[in-house]
């Protein structure tokens, strides 16, 4: 493939991404207005299903090495202990372990949704809709933006509008693409419509070739392109995070923000693939903290999570398969009741009897309970407002 053709296809993919973003018609509704709390919530969503046990693993549990004879080695040999929690951070995440020690990070090893399908798409939809279902008119962050009122701005740092931001009234959610080289086209109804419109034209062949090129690049990188849903690649996260910090710091009214990253579906050769993905994840989170500065960091909460975790046992190709409960990280200088330097929720160990369906980590901390607490503290949402934004929330974490 020539460099010129490759560049044209990248430009075409960028144009398709922008068209997909514009193809969603928002719907309006009314929510009660909260008391302004002057905080900020940023959600960093890792598409593909991060193996939380490879990132923050229970090194004090004797079953850890037995279930994961190869995947446990980096943490057992070089991991950084997370206080007295019995967990250690992967060597690539040592900077996050340092934040834990300073009280600026907490983690939940058994975080997740009620979905047990192990399907990327159902689990992602359930998380993003926030209504306990896999269908709905709006994403939970769009509803939060509406409930927060005109004093708060909500921004998505991507080239397209993901489900979590869909359905907000016009002007309540802004799309702010920061990385022109890392964008991918989402596989959704908007893209299907674009392909159908160009199917009988010369442009149709170019579009199909560009999509095929993207799929090939994803395959080479070990990422399921469908699972990533057009998210930015994690390799570019440090630069994106630095730009995000500049934007957020320049406008304190940006109280709600979202970015998604792809590259975490690791069925084979996981040590190598996550060995490439975890360093830029940590670097990006530190770049965000440093770029915001002390004053803005003290009013910021960052949630990092994925649609589900992975199997406790490693598979025959030294990877892991789709699971249930997974890892959530909470960072910031305004963690409130979720306090820094803590293990959140319950962890019952890796004995087979303690596992979900005898293979996965269970979900001990419902995603809506964490989101509810973060929205209450950052945006001042009342119980009534939280019930509208996150229907079915079982209680606050």
């Amino acid at each position: 493939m020539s460099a010129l053709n490759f560049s044209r296809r990248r430009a075409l993919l960028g144009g398709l991404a922008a068209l997909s973003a514009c193809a969603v018609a928002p719907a309006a509704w009314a929510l009660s207005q909260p008391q302004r709390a002057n905080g900020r919530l940023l959600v960093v969503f890792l598409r593909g299903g991060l193996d939380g046990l490879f990132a923050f693993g229970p090194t004090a549990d004797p079953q850890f090495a037995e279930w994961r004879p190869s995947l446990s080695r980096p943490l057992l040999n070089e991991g950084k202990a997370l206080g007295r929690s019995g967990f250690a951070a992967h060597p690539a995440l040592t900077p996050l372990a340092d934040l834990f020690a300073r009280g600026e990070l907490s983690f939940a090893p058994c975080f997740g949704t009620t979905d047990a399908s192990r399907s990327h798409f159902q689990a992602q939809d359930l998380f993003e809709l926030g209504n306990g279902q896999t269908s709905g008119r709006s994403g939970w962050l769009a509803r939060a933006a509406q409930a927060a009122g005109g004093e708060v701005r909500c921004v998505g740092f991507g080239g397209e509008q993901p489900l979590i931001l869909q359905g907000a009234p016009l002007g309540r959610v802004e799309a702010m693409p920061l990385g022109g080289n890392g964008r991918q086209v989402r596989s959704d109804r908007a893209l299907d419509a674009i392909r159908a419109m160009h199917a009988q034209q010369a442009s149709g062949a170019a579009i199909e070739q560009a999509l095929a090129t993207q799929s090939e690049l994803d395959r080479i990188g070990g990422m399921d392109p469908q699972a990533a849903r057009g998210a930015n690649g994690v390799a570019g996260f440090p630069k994106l995070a630095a730009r995000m910090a500049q934007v957020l710091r320049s406008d304190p009214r940006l109280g709600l923000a979202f970015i998604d990253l792809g590259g975490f579906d690791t069925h084979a050769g996981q040590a190598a693939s996550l060995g490439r993905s975890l360093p830029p994840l940590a670097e990006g989170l530190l770049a965000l903290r440093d770029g915001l500065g002390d004053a803005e960091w003290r009013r910021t909460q960052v949630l990092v999570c994925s649609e589900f975790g992975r199997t406790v046992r490693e598979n025959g190709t030294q990877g892991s398969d789709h699971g249930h409960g997974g890892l959530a990280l909470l960072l910031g200088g305004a963690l409130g009741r979720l306090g820094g330097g803590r293990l959140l929720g319950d962890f019952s160990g890796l004995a087979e009897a303690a596992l979900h369906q005898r293979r996965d980590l269970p979900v001990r901390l419902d995603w809506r309970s964490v989101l509810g607490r973060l929205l209450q503290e950052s945006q001042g949402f009342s119980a009534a407002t939280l019930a509208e934004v996150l229907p079915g929330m079982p209680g606050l974490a």
Side-chain angles (χ1 to χ4, degrees):
M1 180 189 309
S2 71
L4 179 59
N5 285 339
F6 183 76
S7 298
R8 286 176 175 169
R9 286 168 190 164
R10 278 209 180 270
L12 181 56
L13 287 171
L16 284 170
L19 283 172
S20 297
C22 297
V24 179
W29 69 97
L31 292 177
S32 55
Q33 301 295 311
Q35 296 294 316
R36 185 79 174 97
N38 198 37
R40 172 184 289 127
L41 171 61
L42 166 63
V43 178
V44 180
F45 194 54
L46 309 179
R47 295 192 188 272
L50 170 69
D51 183 6
L53 293 174
F54 190 77
F56 279 22
T59 50
D61 192 316
Q63 295 290 140
F64 186 52
E66 181 176 345
W67 295 145
R68 298 178 153 232
S70 68
L71 296 182
S72 64
R73 289 176 194 163
L75 290 93
L76 292 171
N77 295 338
E78 302 178 71
K80 180 73 175 288
L82 295 166
R84 298 181 180 179
S85 66
F87 280 71
H90 186 280
L93 299 181
T94 295
L96 300 188
D98 295 338
L99 289 182
F100 179 88
R102 291 202 293 268
E104 296 179 37
L105 181 147
S106 292
F107 72 98
C110 296
F111 169 94
T113 73
T114 53
D115 181 73
S117 70
R118 302 189 182 96
S119 160
H120 290 296
F121 316 110
Q122 289 190 41
Q124 289 178 17
D125 288 353
L126 193 68
F127 174 85
E128 294 183 69
L129 288 167
N131 60 2
Q133 303 174 39
T134 55
S135 62
R137 297 176 57 206
S138 60
W140 70 261
L141 196 53
R143 295 193 296 274
Q146 168 70 354
E151 293 297 312
V152 177
R153 295 172 61 197
C154 178
V155 60
F157 291 109
E160 304 86 36
Q161 190 180 55
L163 182 58
I164 197 171
L165 295 174
Q166 291 180 19
L170 288 173
R172 286 299 172 88
V173 174
E174 304 171 42
M176 192 176 297
L178 298 178
N181 294 327
R183 290 167 56 189
Q184 296 173 310
V185 180
R186 295 185 187 276
S187 297
D188 57 14
R189 286 176 295 177
L191 176 58
D192 291 341
I194 293 168
R195 294 171 77 176
M197 185 169 55
H198 290 265
Q200 304 303 320
Q201 303 176 40
S203 56
I207 288 173
E208 295 304 322
Q209 182 59 58
L211 293 171
T213 299
Q214 176 175 292
S215 296
E216 178 64 12
L217 291 171
D218 291 336
R219 185 192 65 76
I220 293 170
M223 179 174 68
D224 179 351
Q226 299 297 319
R229 282 187 166 177
N232 290 288
V234 69
F237 184 47
K239 290 183 178 179
L240 288 175
R243 296 180 192 137
M244 286 165 52
Q246 290 178 335
V247 171
L248 295 172
R249 186 173 181 174
S250 69
D251 188 352
R253 292 177 58 224
L254 287 170
L256 296 167
F258 176 83
I259 187 170
D260 52 357
L261 303 171
F264 297 94
D265 192 23
T266 51
H267 291 278
Q270 180 173 296
S273 58
L274 281 187
R276 293 188 296 268
S277 296
L278 294 182
L281 176 62
E283 291 169 23
L285 292 171
L286 288 185
L288 179 69
R289 176 184 180 272
D290 294 343
L292 284 173
D294 290 342
E296 287 299 308
W297 185 246
R298 283 196 296 270
R299 59 181 287 259
T300 297
Q301 300 169 323
V302 182
L303 170 65
V304 183
C305 63
S306 201
E307 68 261 32
F308 48 53
R310 316 290 292 194
T311 48
V312 170
R313 296 174 181 83
E314 67 178 71
N315 61 28
T317 54
Q318 297 185 334
S320 56
D321 299 315
H322 301 177
H324 189 44
L327 177 69
L329 304 177
L330 294 174
L331 302 84
L335 293 183
R337 294 191 183 183
L338 296 179
R342 292 174 50 199
L343 184 157
L344 302 172
D346 180 36
F347 177 73
S348 303
L350 299 181
E352 191 173 58
L355 303 181
H356 172 72
Q357 297 180 353
R358 308 182 75 87
R359 52 163 274 168
D360 306 327
L361 288 179
V363 172
R364 301 293 189 194
L365 192 58
D366 187 277
W367 86 113
R368 292 164 298 181
S369 297
V370 174
L371 295 174
R373 178 65 71 185
L374 295 175
L375 289 169
Q376 181 195 62
E377 293 182 350
S378 68
Q379 307 301 320
F381 285 2
S382 66
T385 300
L386 288 174
E388 295 172 313
V389 174
L390 298 165
M393 182 183 69
L396 294 176

